[in-house]
Amino acid sequence: MTQPASHNQTLYQQIADELARQITEGIFQPGDKLPSIRKLSQQRSVSIATIQSAYEQLELQHLIESRPQSGFYVRQPVTPTYGGTLSEKSGISRMLSPFGSEAGQSCELPTPDQHTDLSLPTAVSIKQSASEVLRRCQQPELINLGTAIPSPDFLPVKQLQRIMGSLVRKRMDEVVVSVFPPGLEELRNQIAKRMAESGCHVAANEIVITNGCQEALTLCLRAVAQPGDVIAIESPAFVGLLQTIESLGMKALEIPTHPQKGISLEALQLALQQWPVKAVALVPTYNNPLGFTMPVEHRRKLLTLLKPLSIPVIEDDLFGDLDYSGNRTPAIKAYDEDGLVLYCSSVSKSIASGLRVGWVSGGRYQQHIEFLKSFSSVGTSTLSQMAVAEFMANGGYDRHLRRIQAAYARQVQLMGEAVSRWFPEGTTLTRPMGGYILWVGLPGKVDTFQLHHRALEQGIGIMPGKLFSARDHYQNFLRVNCAIIWDEQVDNAVRCLGELAQELLATEGEPGEEA
């Protein structure tokens, strides 16, 4: 059914959506050539740039392709071959399309087991296994469904190339000079403007530029805690956070976390009564790995709970810009009136992880964080800071976000549907409305670390669930990266994973037991 265009949509988005519907409805068939950019701009009485942006959007959605010296053509869709028992399953898990249309029976990840021992602080020891998995997943010959790094196809490579080329030609004398903390002023000004859009009213001098979000998290933990101290975290938790806690000699206190609402405030309150928690570290917006966004009321209640105890919140907002609807959820920092929220983010998931540009706004801990930054990595690449500042200032970042928000929604939909087709009956998966990762639960006692090793032999990389816990939970879960251009090879990789999981399930002898 044709949906009316949103009043919030840009002109190129409206044109892209209309063409996408025409492709879906068969008006344009696979292999058909689309009107040239110039011709369509004349037909629609719009600029050539508008049509270029619309076609770029359709390319990111994998609906059309550009052929050199020829034009744009409708792509052949991925048409999986349904064979054997996999195609005959009627109870297999499915997901709800991020666009709101039902792609099958809805499937929600069940609430993680709220083990009675989750309230025990634990020394983290995932360093060796996590590093090995991450290293193997990044081998160039692998289909990388493990590390949460987007394919270059989704990144603004050409725009960055132009910006950096211009900076090197015109401002090389600035590029070669280190910028000491708190970082490049023009970048901090741009970040302050963007933070205001998420409800955070901070000045540029309240922001410190870091080497990615990982360094921001490290600085925050060092600012609020010492080795041996207890940090309350979500369960499952972001692998990078667990690695940082381990590297600093701190202890993780895993709190049961709902797959739609986030950390259990009741369990957190009980834990605070039992243990000397120094900080609460969260990924509240498009959580990694669960994908949920904590409701606003939940965010307010969290601060109400922690304020009397003066316990700080370390907020990782790395995926905050990747909302499929384009409506950014206010950060926890937006409701902070006491300087207790240390806000961290970066451009690693939106622009490019290789730039290593992140930032932190540390509230009452700001000066200490700036001091720690000065004596850890000194500064962040000047060229990277200048390039990000320019990309944000000239409007390129906002245009890029609109494109990848729609593209990632499509990728998550395609991956979820593939998991539904190929994975064993009883599989569960999350339904994020932003970001590009899925948390998949396998039935029975399937060990996804075994699945990881078997998948490597088939040229596929995945992230086993046990890496997301300090207490060896989630052994039958895995995290899947969806920011990879969808094609038959990727679909076959998901099919292979499903078959390997089915073999492991049969070995366990417990087919049909829910994860």
Side-chain angles (χ1 to χ4, degrees), residues 208-221:
V208 176
I209 305 301
T210 63
N211 291 309
C213 194
Q214 194 69 36
E215 186 185 35
L217 291 172
T218 302
L219 294 172
C220 289
L221 284 169

Side-chain angles (χ1 to χ4, degrees), residues 360-420:
V360 56
S361 180
R364 62 173 68 174
Y365 302 93
Q366 182 71 18
Q367 288 187 343
H368 191 32
I369 288 172
E370 187 172 331
F371 170 80
L372 292 171
K373 169 66 178 176
S374 299
F375 291 94
S376 57
S377 60
V378 184
T380 298
S381 163
T382 303
L383 178 59
S384 292
Q385 291 188 67
M386 293 171 70
V388 173
E390 173 63 22
F391 193 46
M392 289 181 172
N394 69 18
Y397 185 55
D398 289 311
R399 291 191 294 272
H400 169 66
L401 280 182
R402 289 192 291 269
R403 286 192 285 270
I404 62 172
Q405 285 161 352
Y408 288 155
R410 175 69 172 163
Q411 295 304 119
V412 168
Q413 178 183 9
L414 289 169
M415 185 65 74
E417 290 172 350
V419 169
S420 298

Side-chain angles (χ1 to χ4, degrees), residues 35-61:
S36 69
I37 291 176
R38 184 174 299 277
K39 182 177 180 180
L40 195 55
S41 71
Q42 293 171 347
Q43 291 175 348
R44 300 298 185 99
S45 298
V46 298
S47 69
I48 286 177
T50 297
I51 302 302
Q52 285 177 327
S53 295
Y55 278 3
E56 286 177 7
Q57 182 75 72
L58 294 172
E59 282 188 287
L60 282 175
Q61 294 181 33

Side-chain angles (χ1 to χ4, degrees), residues 91-96 104-112 258-261 290 292 420 426-432 438-442 477 514-515:
I92 198 164
S93 307
R94 294 190 182 274
M95 72 178 288
L96 191 69
Q105 191 67 30
S106 66
C107 169
E108 297 181 4
L109 178 69
T111 303
H258 191 276
Q260 281 85 42
K261 298 180 181 179
L290 288 174
F292 66 80
S420 298
T427 297
T428 60
L429 51 83
T430 47
R431 299 183 299 166
L438 287 173
W439 183 243
V440 181
L442 294 172
F477 285 81
E514 289 294 324

Side-chain angles (χ1 to χ4, degrees), residues 4-18:
S6 167
H7 293 298
N8 295 324
Q9 283 187 313
T10 61
L11 186 56
Y12 86 81
Q13 286 178 301
Q14 294 176 27
I15 294 173
D17 286 352
E18 182 179 338

